[in-house]
Amino acid sequence: MDANVIISLNNVNFYYGQNRALTDITMNFRKNKVTALIGPSGCGKSTLLRLLNRMNDLIDDTRVEGDIIYEGKNIYSPDIDPVEIRKKIGMVFQKPNPFPKTIYNNIAYGPKLTASNTGDINMLVEQTLKQAVLWDEVKDILNQSAMKLSGGQQQRLCIARALAMKPDILLMDEPTSALDPISTAKIEELIEELKKDYTIIIVTHNMQQAARISDETAFFYLGNLIEYNKTEKIFTKPDVKQTEDYITGRFG
Amino acid sequence: MKHAINNQINQMKWRYFRQSAFFGLLRASALIITLALGGIIFYILYNGLSVISWEFISKPPTHSMTKGGIMPAILGTIYLTVGAISIGLPLGVASAIYLTEYAKQGKMIRFIKVGINCLAGVPSVVFGLFGLAFFVILFKFGSSILAGSLTLGFLILPTIIGASEEALKSVPQTFREASLALGVSKWQTIYRIVLPNALPGILTGSILGIGRAAGETAPIMFTAAAYFTAKLPGSIFDEVMALPYHIYVLATAGTNIEATRPIQYGTVLVLVAVVLGINLIAILIRGYMRRHKRW
Ligand SMILES: Nc1ncnc2c1ncn2[C@@H]1O[C@H](COP(=O)(O)OP(=O)(O)OP(=O)(O)O)[C@@H](O)[C@H]1O
Ligand SMILES: [Mg+2]
């Protein structure tokens, strides 16, 4: 496998009960790049994202076919512990979802419990909050409830919380869709910064956002991967007509 | 034009009338409930207050229970209630965690849930007989605090399971997802995130169970309650007197039923106070937890 590939899907199908949500997906995600997943509502973007850190395991009556290879192993093979996968592949959700704990404990929670990080927790909290560009805003209120932060601050806290686990990959499902333009810009800058150290896969409905921040873009339609290429190429001269129609808003 | 406006005003009046009629009805039912409760409490106070004294609360009965106090019964009821809670709460919460967090939802789980609901409807005397056959005779605990606590614990189990299930379900799924997505194990997620957030709700529901455990007569009649012992229990294998049973005994089988009327009302008053007191402790604990949750 190409050394630049961090995770690759081979002929992946995914079913919710009888309904197939993803059809025969084959694609490679590249290391230290930002990959955007785009497509109309219900095309399976979130399903694909949650497949990569086995969050779909939480839903009863689902089934995966095909291989998802990460670090040389199929993450769905029976000898793989999903908990270990999730430590290395972090996730940020659409709606900011901090724990009803203090800001400090939101960050410290994961590392403390998983013992993956036995170093100085105070250092780690400071470091990850700085990484998430939140430190200056919260350094004096670390013992205040995270629920009192603004939506944008909460989302950056959630990013910091994921970073504290020192993951390889960060999955983001429409991380800015609940935020105002200023918070959105902050998070976009942050993503730009983070891709030096992390691989980022982001779902977005915002075409400009995809064009701005991603290196590669994958367009999905009805559970199929229609086109996957360099972002520049997708947004200037896509190979498939459907892609062009979607990007230019002439869809449906 | 004028006609249309009039029409509109009439409609508004009619709507307003309906609304106030409905509110009136709601107010009336709230009032009836309050009056009924007030009436009961007033009646008990009126009849029972005269016998309440330090002596009544701190001394055992004397003169074939026609004089003296009810201290052994108060202690017995506290022992039994605390015992029932220490058995019912962990068992109930554990069952609820299994049912809501672990078990795959399906026919089997629905069947178990129906079973639990049925259990909630079983008359308490049946629990008493079950306790007699099972704990007193089969396990040879004899009539004792242990057997009575176990029986009461099982009696309140459905209440606690139901309350815990509701409380667990009301913890947002996003909290679970956030924790699991960090690579925290399922058990840790439940223990660190789900349970602390569900605990106030669990306690609220369990308060109902506490009241029931303290007030029931039938389940302890065969399993724990003594007709009369001046001696205090030395271990959990001893019989105890208990307030509800003491009331029952005085009112139906005492040596001089008429003469003990005031004592009966006094005992009822103490029982109500004990139940409210135990509830108050639970409410205080719940309040403390809520305040320290830092939402
Ligand atoms: N928990 C679920 N149970 C059953 N079907 C589901 C579930 N979640 C999603 N689906 C179905 O799978 C398909 C893909 O859903 P998915 O959430 O992945 O879409 P999406 O591309 O993320 O859409 P959106 O842009 O609206 O978030 C949809 O048809 C949806 O109805
Ligand atoms: Mg989605």
Side-chain angles (χ1 to χ4, degrees):
Chain A
M1 196 162 73
D2 189 343
N4 287 325
V5 172
I6 191 160
I7 188 162
S8 76
L9 286 74
N10 297 320
N11 307 104
V12 172
N13 290 298
F14 185 83
Y15 302 84
Y16 290 106
Q18 298 297 313
N19 290 334
R20 182 155 68 179
L22 291 172
T23 307
D24 202 25
I25 307 286
T26 297
M27 67 192 296
N28 294 329
F29 290 101
R30 291 155 67 79
K31 213 177 187 143
N32 288 58
K33 298 281 181 211
V34 177
T35 305
L37 309 182
I38 62 170
S41 206
C43 68
K45 305 178 298 290
S46 300
T47 303
L48 179 71
L49 208 62
R50 293 167 59 92
L51 207 52
L52 300 181
N53 68 342
R54 297 199 53 169
M55 286 302 277
N56 282 338
D57 289 22
L58 308 184
I59 302 166
D60 279 343
D61 201 19
T62 56
R63 191 157 56 87
V64 190
E65 287 167 2
D67 297 337
I68 299 177
I69 309 292
Y70 169 67
E71 293 186 329
K73 281 201 196 124
N74 180 6
I75 63 169
Y76 280 88
S77 86
D79 60 325
I80 297 279
D81 182 358
V83 168
E84 293 304 317
I85 294 295
R86 292 180 198 135
K87 278 184 203 166
K88 292 188 189 142
I89 307 185
M91 185 163 217
V92 176
F93 297 81
Q94 176 170 1
K95 232 175 117 242
N97 58 353
F99 298 123
K101 296 174 179 287
T102 62
I103 294 170
Y104 181 94
N105 282 331
N106 262 276
I107 309 278
Y109 173 79
K112 265 187 190 162
L113 287 187
T114 53
S116 63
N117 231 302
T118 43
D120 185 346
I121 297 274
N122 290 337
M123 276 278 287
L124 183 73
V125 170
E126 179 172 345
Q127 187 193 335
T128 48
L129 281 172
K130 277 180 174 161
Q131 243 182 324
V133 204
L134 189 60
W135 175 250
D136 289 334
E137 289 158 71
V138 302
K139 61 173 186 264
D140 299 323
I141 50 167
L142 290 176
N143 284 321
Q144 196 183 303
S145 168
M147 308 308 257
K148 286 191 193 144
L149 296 175
S150 75
Q153 290 174 323
Q154 287 188 2
Q155 193 63 306
R156 276 178 285 148
L157 180 68
C158 291
I159 294 174
R161 179 175 68 186
L163 294 178
M165 296 301 295
K166 306 219 183 291
D168 288 343
I169 305 178
L170 204 52
L171 308 174
M172 301 179 142
D173 196 348
E174 302 183 42
T176 61
S177 69
L179 306 182
D180 68 284
I182 293 173
S183 306
T184 300
K186 277 192 180 155
I187 292 195
E188 286 185 11
E189 273 169 43
L190 175 59
I191 290 170
E192 200 69 33
E193 200 54 38
L194 291 175
K195 82 175 184 192
K196 290 178 197 143
D197 303 312
Y198 302 91
T199 302
I200 295 173
I201 305 174
I202 180 170
V203 171
T204 180
H205 276 286
N206 181 331
M207 291 307 114
Q208 285 87 15
Q209 183 170 67
R212 272 195 303 266
I213 63 174
S214 70
D215 302 298
E216 330 230 312
T217 298
F219 171 62
F220 291 83
Y221 184 57
L222 296 178
N224 291 285
L225 176 59
I226 305 294
E227 188 168 356
Y228 180 31
N229 219 323
K230 294 232 173 310
T231 298
E232 228 179 79
K233 165 110 171 107
I234 294 268
F235 281 91
T236 50
K237 38 180 199 322
D239 290 332
V240 186
K241 174 114 187 357
Q242 269 173 314
T243 314
E244 187 177 349
D245 288 349
Y246 180 70
I247 286 166
T248 53
R250 262 183 282 135
F251 209 77
Chain B
M1 187 66 196
K2 185 120 195 228
H3 183 72
I5 288 174
N6 266 340
N7 213 356
Q8 220 172 2
I9 288 176
N10 276 340
Q11 257 179 17
M12 235 167 70
K13 273 189 185 149
W14 169 234
R15 231 180 313 153
Y16 184 75
F17 171 75
R18 261 195 325 198
Q19 176 172 313
S20 38
F22 192 64
F23 279 159
L25 216 66
L26 291 180
R27 253 187 226 118
S29 34
L31 195 69
I32 290 172
I33 291 168
T34 318
L35 281 179
L37 185 67
I40 292 170
I41 289 178
F42 175 77
Y43 186 70
I44 295 170
L45 279 173
Y46 181 77
N47 287 293
L49 210 52
S50 59
V51 298
I52 301 289
S53 64
W54 177 243
E55 180 125 355
F56 187 67
I57 292 170
S58 64
K59 291 264 158 56
T62 52
H63 301 84
S64 308
M65 302 198 284
T66 57
K67 295 244 167 55
I70 54 167
M71 184 267 286
I74 297 175
L75 265 186
T77 284
I78 291 173
Y79 287 151
L80 287 172
T81 310
V82 171
I85 294 293
S86 2
I87 290 155
L89 198 59
L91 215 56
V93 172
S95 315
I97 288 177
Y98 173 73
L99 288 174
T100 53
E101 307 288 329
Y102 282 99
K104 198 165 154 31
Q105 305 302 315
K107 272 213 183 83
M108 190 61 198
I109 290 304
R110 271 211 301 279
F111 183 73
I112 292 176
K113 285 185 179 168
V114 169
I116 291 169
N117 282 336
C118 287
L119 207 58
V122 169
S124 53
V125 67
V126 176
F127 277 95
L129 286 171
F130 164 78
L132 175 67
F134 207 65
F135 302 124
V136 177
I137 296 171
L138 188 66
F139 285 2
K140 301 199 170 61
F141 292 156
S143 179
S144 61
I145 295 178
L146 182 61
S149 297
L150 283 165
T151 309
L152 286 173
F154 278 85
L155 176 83
I156 61 173
L157 204 50
T159 314
I160 292 177
I161 293 176
S164 307
E165 271 189 282
E166 284 313 308
L168 290 169
K169 276 193 221 145
S170 71
V171 176
Q173 187 63 21
T174 56
F175 288 178
R176 294 185 182 80
E177 288 201 334
S179 172
L180 292 168
L182 288 171
V184 172
S185 69
K186 184 159 183 172
W187 164 242
Q188 291 275 28
T189 297
I190 291 170
Y191 185 67
R192 304 276 171 167
I193 301 288
V194 181
L195 262 187
N197 284 297
L199 221 43
I202 291 174
L203 283 181
T204 307
S206 305
I207 286 171
L208 294 173
I210 295 173
R212 192 154 180 224
E216 282 282 354
T217 312
I220 54 171
M221 207 144 81
F222 321 120
T223 58
Y227 180 81
F228 172 74
T229 60
K231 157 175 116 39
L232 294 178
S235 80
I236 55 169
F237 293 104
D238 286 347
E239 277 193 305
V240 283
M241 293 181 75
L243 291 169
Y245 186 62
H246 190 58
I247 295 165
Y248 169 77
V249 166
L250 289 180
T252 60
T255 39
N256 192 344
I257 293 172
E258 278 313 316
T260 59
R261 272 297 177 233
I263 300 186
Q264 291 166 31
Y265 282 114
T267 312
V268 168
L269 186 56
V270 171
L271 176 60
V272 171
V274 167
V275 170
L276 288 181
I278 296 176
N279 279 350
L280 197 68
I281 292 171
I283 289 169
L284 287 178
I285 295 174
R286 180 183 67 186
Y288 176 83
M289 282 177 176
R290 278 203 182 137
R291 251 178 293 118
H292 284 251
K293 220 160 60 160
R294 299 205 226 202
W295 278 81

